[in-house]
Every structure is written in structure tokens, then in C-alpha cells.
Amino acid sequence: MPNYQRILAAIDLSDEAGGVLERAAAMAKHHDAELHLLHVVEPLSLAYGGDIPMDFSEVQLQLQKQAEDALGNFAKKLNLPKTQCHLLSGRPDGQIHELAKTLATDLIIVGSHGRKGLALLLGSTANGVLHGADCDVLAVRVGQQS
């Protein structure tokens, strides 16, 4: 097993993020690796195809602030400095790849819902990260198991 030096845990700030963070913290401790947290806020214009007839800039700012607060709370639980917490905006898989390269990450940890059928065909962030990463990717199963 490789000895990881720098681990990037990409989380979605849902209730399930705790499980991903537990696994990331355990991996970082086991490998004596530096752990970084990342959350990507997807712009509403991306989520809704860019044709929004209303100004959602205030809503976007609120989403950004909520994400910043939540990410800070997760960092406190893990005793991580602010320099190891990253809040970006854009398409999650692309931003995860970009930060992983910038940080010279050798392991990315993401949550995966293990979708099947149509949801699998439509893709997911975990799938996008896996297929574009230059380093190892650990997909931690989250949500209900069936």
C-alpha cells in the first residue's frame, strides 16, 4: 500500500459528509499525511442551465456563506488549520481535479451513493473525479445500503 503524503477530502456538507471525513481522518492518521478539506459550491446558473430569468446573486452569496460556516465547523472537529480548508465555486469534479494538482495530492477521498440504473448513466461527482484524477481515489460508500 502506498504511503500517502497529502490527502484531499472532497465533501458535500450533507449529513453524510461526516462518514467521509471519518475515513479521511483515519487515512491521514494512518499514513501520517497532511489532510485538506474541500467543498465546491456549484453556481446556480450551472445547476439550472444558465437560463435563469431572475437574479439569484443574493441566494448564491447565502449558499457560499453557509458552506463557509459548515466547512469551518468540520475543520474545527478535525483540528485543521484554515490553510487546509478550501471553498471553491464551479463544477465539483473539475475543481477537485484542479486543487488536487495544485496541492500535489496523492489521494482524493469522496463520498459515493453507489447509484444504479439511470442515475448511474447520468453520472456523479464521484464518477467524474475517478475518471479524471491523476492520483488514487477512494470512494467512501454513503447513504442507505440496499
Side-chain angles (χ1 to χ4, degrees), residues 8-11 38-40 88 90-103 105 108-110 125-126 128-130 132-133 135 137:
L8 176 61
I11 56 174
L38 167 64
H39 175 69
V40 180
L88 301 175
R91 291 208 177 274
D93 53 348
Q95 293 290 18
I96 293 167
H97 292 146
E98 191 172 314
L99 184 60
K101 286 178 186 173
T102 299
L103 296 173
T105 299
I108 300 170
I109 300 178
V110 295
T125 298
V129 171
L130 175 65
C135 63
V137 176

Side-chain angles (χ1 to χ4, degrees), residues 59-139:
V59 174
Q60 191 72 51
L61 286 173
Q62 288 176 354
L63 289 173
Q64 190 83 9
K65 176 66 174 133
Q66 289 173 348
E68 188 177 306
D69 292 345
L71 191 61
N73 289 336
F74 282 123
K76 281 182 188 174
K77 289 179 185 175
L78 297 173
N79 291 320
L80 288 180
K82 288 185 179 189
T83 57
Q84 289 172 225
C85 296
H86 310 273
L87 181 62
L88 301 175
S89 181
R91 291 208 177 274
D93 53 348
Q95 293 290 18
I96 293 167
H97 292 146
E98 191 172 314
L99 184 60
K101 286 178 186 173
T102 299
L103 296 173
T105 299
D106 43 19
L107 176 64
I108 300 170
I109 300 178
V110 295
S112 174
H113 292 275
R115 293 182 173 93
K116 299 175 184 164
L118 184 59
L120 179 62
L121 291 174
L122 294 175
S124 68
T125 298
N127 190 43
V129 171
L130 175 65
H131 291 290
D134 292 335
C135 63
D136 290 350
V137 176
L138 173 62

